[in-house]
Amino acid sequence: MYIEVEKGVHLFVQDIDPGPGSKPIFFVHGWPLNHKMFQYQFNVLPQYGFRCISMDIRGNGQSDKPWGGYSYNRLADDLAVVLDALKLENIVLLGFSIGGAITIRYMSRYGGRHVAKLALVDAVSPAFVKSPNSPYGVPKEQATTLINQMYDNLPKFLDDVSLTFFNRNLGAATLNWFAELGRESASYALIKLLQEAAREDVTDDLSKINVPTAIFHGVHDQLIPFKSGELTNQKIKGSQLYPLYNSGHGLPIDQSHEFNKLLMQFAK
């Protein structure tokens, strides 16, 4: 289905509902991907009574690809419109990577409306770029280099990122699949999203989260270091940190079986 989030901009939403009484989990994907990255969750969780709803962030996957609107605030507003339109209540809101940052901003900006629990997965938090609030981020110069590589040769850039995304050898087919998901996005959307991540900081948003929160983070994450996950854990009152010891940044794929078990335990 498609939901209009502002005039002329429609987002693709997938809703896998196993039936009455199912518990809703709403998935927000990361960069440079789309909702298909959660296939190893969608294949399993509905069997255990979980309704899996996901959307493609604007510019990505099957959603519309406008030139503008890639700020964290606008993306949080998009999420709010979708949740309102679906009339969802008491959901588990799950955000992966930059999707984690978007869900954090949503929780702060909208007071956690519709949300009973929050799951952050390798979230871009507190910030992508190193700062006093986020000392484990990448240097600003490195972020600029990454953005410039997308301008110069996006296909090669996506292939290179795939090599650092996972912690184990998943084979050429999986790496090609990852890169192909990136190629379903508008190139300018990928650039703008990374530019936004490079300038944003969600530190002030973290203290406004007041629902049970689980932080799942790959210990070997090369993009958002595990120490950033530990820092996020410290800044969200009462949150629980779940280290995934054999995962890099792509833990829903690196350790899908372990992650699914932990997520279902948290979501029930």
Side-chain angles (χ1 to χ4, degrees):
M1 77 179 82
Y2 286 87
I3 293 174
E4 188 173 45
V5 292
E6 63 176 342
K7 188 173 182 179
V9 179
H10 300 79
L11 301 191
F12 174 78
V13 175
Q14 182 183 63
D15 188 351
I16 306 170
D17 189 350
S22 56
K23 298 177 181 179
I25 305 176
F26 193 99
F27 294 77
V28 184
H29 68 82
W31 173 100
L33 304 166
N34 57 56
H35 77 281
K36 296 176 187 175
M37 69 156 288
F38 296 114
Q39 65 178 4
Y40 296 108
Q41 286 67 57
F42 300 161
N43 291 343
V44 175
L45 270 58
Q47 299 177 45
Y48 294 89
F50 292 96
R51 178 183 174 190
C52 295
I53 311 130
S54 56
M55 72 178 194
D56 286 342
I57 296 168
R58 65 168 64 204
N60 296 268
Q62 295 167 246
S63 288
D64 286 350
K65 299 172 174 62
W67 175 253
Y70 296 94
S71 70
Y72 278 9
N73 285 349
R74 178 62 250 185
L75 297 173
D77 293 346
D78 287 353
L79 176 57
V81 173
V82 171
L83 294 180
D84 285 348
L86 294 174
K87 296 181 170 57
L88 296 169
E89 296 298 339
N90 297 316
I91 67 168
V92 175
L93 179 61
L94 183 151
F96 169 78
S97 192
I98 200 168
I102 294 166
T103 60
I104 290 167
R105 178 58 52 83
Y106 170 82
M107 295 297 291
S108 168
R109 193 167 170 84
Y110 288 90
R113 194 167 73 204
H114 306 289
V115 178
K117 295 180 179 180
L118 177 67
L120 300 174
V121 185
D122 291 324
V124 179
S125 171
F128 177 54
V129 169
K130 185 178 294 186
S131 70
N133 287 333
S134 191
Y136 310 112
V138 303
K140 186 175 182 180
E141 297 76 19
Q142 184 178 344
T144 300
T145 297
L146 292 173
I147 292 165
N148 288 338
Q149 287 173 350
M150 283 192 285
Y151 277 110
D152 295 338
N153 191 337
L154 181 61
K156 181 179 185 303
F157 175 78
L158 291 172
D159 287 340
D160 291 345
V161 168
S162 74
L163 297 174
T164 62
F165 209 80
F166 305 104
N167 184 51
R168 57 194 179 93
N169 183 6
L170 298 172
T174 297
L175 299 184
N176 289 338
W177 168 76
F178 171 93
E180 285 303 316
L181 292 186
R183 294 183 185 111
E184 291 180 18
S185 302
S187 56
Y188 51 83
L190 296 182
I191 291 170
K192 288 170 178 284
L193 284 168
L194 199 58
Q195 288 173 330
E196 182 70 9
R199 75 167 192 83
E200 264 283 11
D201 186 324
V202 297
T203 300
D204 291 342
D205 302 272
L206 297 174
S207 62
K208 299 175 184 176
I209 295 172
N210 56 10
V211 299
T213 301
I215 299 166
F216 303 94
H217 213 104
V219 170
H220 304 287
D221 194 330
Q222 296 183 54
L223 298 175
I224 309 296
F226 181 71
K227 286 187 175 293
S228 290
E230 292 180 320
L231 186 56
T232 298
N233 175 222
Q234 294 170 18
K235 292 182 177 296
I236 299 178
K237 185 178 179 180
S239 62
Q240 179 70 42
L241 177 64
Y242 295 88
L244 276 295
Y245 290 98
N246 294 315
S247 289
H249 189 62
L251 78 81
I253 299 162
D254 264 334
Q255 284 186 266
S256 60
H257 298 300
E258 295 87 345
F259 174 60
N260 288 347
K261 290 177 183 177
L262 291 170
L263 177 58
M264 287 191 288
Q265 289 171 5
F266 173 69
K268 66 182 180 183

